[in-house]
Amino acid sequence: MKRILAPLALITVTVGMAGCGAPTKYEPTTWRGGFSDIQLDTNVYRVTFEGNSRTNSTRAEDLALLRSAELSLSKGYPFFVIIDGKTRVDQTSVVNPVQTFSNTEIKRNERGRAKETYTSTTTYGGDTTTYSMPSTINTIMLFHKRPDMNTVIYDAKLLCNSLGAKYQVTCAAR
């Protein structure tokens, strides 16, 4: 009995966009996501946190806040306000390729000639996988003293301690 495996379609390997299966870490931006910041004025910064497909929006928002607090403290400012904040979720869909495999089994007689042939065909794929990747962008203004403003004023040290504990991160500028 001889077995022949004959693929009928080109096999395509799709590398998943989910990374290593864990939410994005609190770290400077890499190909897996992370935080970045840029100074816009003397005491104004844009802080961004980009998550992978395993990161939910709450985590992205929290880690952007954590980076804002850490940055504020590192610049010598104990307070900050968010003057513009946005969270968005980008979605990417991937259609998995259709793959068809056939397996042919040939039964031979005693002279080696084909007596019976059995063929089975299996088709996989054609389904769509959607990946959602959140990102949060906060434009923050830093203050040396608690400002008298009608908005949420963040205490950077308190935020570093609370969010740091939640995500097991130690702020570099406590």
Side-chain angles (χ1 to χ4, degrees):
M1 183 183 333
K2 190 174 187 181
R3 299 185 129 226
I4 301 170
L5 184 64
L8 298 178
L10 177 63
I11 300 172
T12 305
V13 178
T14 302
V15 177
M17 298 173 66
C20 298
T24 303
K25 295 179 183 179
Y26 182 75
E27 64 184 3
T29 301
T30 66
W31 62 272
R32 296 178 303 256
F35 64 78
S36 63
D37 48 73
I38 187 166
Q39 187 170 8
L40 303 175
D41 202 346
T42 306
N43 65 331
V44 178
Y45 291 81
R46 181 181 307 127
V47 176
T48 303
F49 186 85
E50 296 175 330
N52 62 20
S53 65
R54 302 286 184 177
T55 305
N56 63 38
S57 295
T58 300
R59 182 181 177 93
E61 290 167 356
D62 283 354
L63 294 182
L65 265 178
L66 180 59
R67 178 59 187 157
S68 298
E70 184 177 47
L71 179 66
S72 185
L73 290 174
S74 75
K75 301 298 180 184
Y77 294 87
F79 302 100
F80 70 93
V81 298
I82 297 174
I83 57 178
D84 187 31
K86 298 177 184 108
T87 297
R88 73 172 198 230
V89 178
D90 293 327
Q91 292 189 327
T92 302
S93 295
V94 176
V95 177
N96 297 315
V98 175
Q99 302 173 39
T100 302
F101 299 93
S102 289
N103 183 37
T104 301
E105 185 179 319
I106 302 171
K107 290 190 178 185
R108 301 187 179 274
N109 63 20
E110 50 282 342
R111 292 187 186 137
R113 293 192 178 150
K115 180 179 169 186
E116 297 175 29
T117 303
Y118 301 97
T119 301
S120 63
T121 302
T122 307
T123 300
Y124 300 94
D127 54 319
T128 301
T129 303
T130 300
Y131 298 97
S132 298
M133 292 152 292
S135 62
T136 298
I137 301 171
N138 291 335
T139 302
I140 62 171
M141 184 176 283
L142 313 178
F143 295 92
H144 288 293
K145 295 181 183 176
R146 183 178 287 276
D148 185 20
M149 300 173 75
N150 190 20
T151 188
V152 176
I153 300 161
Y154 293 96
D155 180 320
K157 188 172 185 177
L158 182 112
L159 212 61
C160 255
N161 289 333
S162 63
L163 288 176
K166 180 178 179 179
Y167 293 102
Q168 299 175 340
V169 171
T170 301
C171 282
R174 282 203 219 199

